[in-house]
């Protein structure tokens, strides 16, 4: 992106690089430890960070379309810019006949989140199927056999937590190293 600043107005104008410029294609997107990251974070308005190859999102903001396809959602805290789109996320997945998502929230807000869904069920007369999991700081949640998430303490004006994603490598016992797959099966 190239920017220009007017001396008189302090307005910043942004122009995207040309699609034909190979350098601009490399600059798009973000990768962390080999995992593509998408999303947005506009303080006080909306936060939703998506790891599409891990099939998960952190916070839901106002429910961006791209987040709907993620099966796992980790909520950090109950401010509206992080959790406001939660009923829409679940409702849209139901509308598209997708499997119910797994939503992980700090344990201290789980009951309130359940009540939020009850109110929306009553108003919308829909099922809003989902799996709601309360997770405390230090606890772990397995997304699958080789991937887990651990909650850690964060500091905010209301109770909050962050999450670290861990890849789990299954190591072969020393006595099995070098054996063929067929020998390992027996």
């Amino acid at each position: 992106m190239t920017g220009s600043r007017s001396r008189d107005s302090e307005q910043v104008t942004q122009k995207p690089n040309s699609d034909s410029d190979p350098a601009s294609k490399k600059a798009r997107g973000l990768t962390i430890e080999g995992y593509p990251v998408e999303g947005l974070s506009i303080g006080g308005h909306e936060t939703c960070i998506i790891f599409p190859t891990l099939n998960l999102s952190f916070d839901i903001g106002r429910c961006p379309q791209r987040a709907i396809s993620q099966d796992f959602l980790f909520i950090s805290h109950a401010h509206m810019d992080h959790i406001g789109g939660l009923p829409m996320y679940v409702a849209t997945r139901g509308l598209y006949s997708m499997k119910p998502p797994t939503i992980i929230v700090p344990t201290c807000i789980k009951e309130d989140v359940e009540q939020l869904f009850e109110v929306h069920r009553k108003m919308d007369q829909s099922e809003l199927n989902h799996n709601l999991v309360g997770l405390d700081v230090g606890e772990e949640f397995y997304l699958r056999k080789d991937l887990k998430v651990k909650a850690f303490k964060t500091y905010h004006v209301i109770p909050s937590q962050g999450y670290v994603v861990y890849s789990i490598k299954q190591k072969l016992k020393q006595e099995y190293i070098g054996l063929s797959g067929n020998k390992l099966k027996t």
Side-chain angles (χ1 to χ4, degrees):
M1 307 259 288
T2 57
S4 62
R5 185 178 290 248
S6 165
R7 285 187 118 181
D8 299 323
S9 67
E10 289 298 315
Q11 180 178 351
V12 177
T13 306
Q14 299 285 346
K15 291 189 243 173
N17 290 330
S18 165
D19 282 341
S20 62
D21 177 7
S24 71
K25 290 183 181 179
K26 288 181 188 174
R28 288 192 186 149
L30 176 66
T31 302
I32 298 176
E33 294 293 325
Y35 296 102
V37 181
E38 302 173 13
L40 67 156
S41 185
I42 304 166
H45 292 275
E46 179 172 22
T47 296
C48 180
I49 307 300
I50 303 163
F51 285 78
T53 58
L54 297 176
N55 201 18
L56 65 85
S57 294
F58 295 104
D59 293 327
I60 194 63
R62 293 183 282 179
C63 189
Q65 184 69 28
R66 183 67 178 100
I68 293 166
S69 62
Q70 309 310 306
D71 290 339
F72 297 95
L73 174 60
F74 293 83
I75 299 294
S76 64
H77 65 285
H79 275 156
M80 291 300 288
D81 56 326
H82 292 257
I83 200 171
L86 186 57
M88 189 64 168
Y89 164 72
V90 174
T92 304
R93 287 180 62 90
L95 181 66
Y96 294 158
S97 299
M98 300 170 79
K99 74 178 185 177
T102 298
I103 303 163
I104 291 82
V105 299
T107 301
C108 64
I109 68 167
K110 183 180 180 200
E111 187 176 311
D112 292 335
V113 172
E114 288 169 345
Q115 289 176 4
L116 173 71
F117 279 114
E118 283 305 315
V119 167
H120 280 278
R121 281 185 188 105
K122 184 177 179 181
M123 291 189 307
D124 191 46
Q125 297 181 8
S126 61
E127 292 184 31
L128 297 176
N129 291 326
H130 62 281
N131 303 309
L132 187 62
V133 177
L135 199 66
D136 279 323
V137 169
E139 291 183 331
E140 297 175 339
F141 178 83
Y142 281 80
L143 297 164
R144 53 185 198 230
K145 192 169 80 169
D146 65 335
L147 198 65
K148 70 178 177 179
V149 176
K150 184 174 184 177
F152 65 89
K153 184 166 179 52
T154 59
Y155 298 90
H156 199 37
V157 296
I158 64 172
S160 65
Q161 63 192 36
Y163 303 94
V164 177
V165 179
Y166 292 94
S167 176
I168 301 166
K169 307 266 189 227
Q170 299 293 329
K171 293 187 180 182
L172 209 52
K173 290 183 180 178
Q174 190 67 34
E175 64 261 25
Y176 299 120
I177 294 177
L179 296 178
S180 70
N182 287 335
K183 293 242 183 204
L184 289 173
K185 286 181 188 177
T186 58

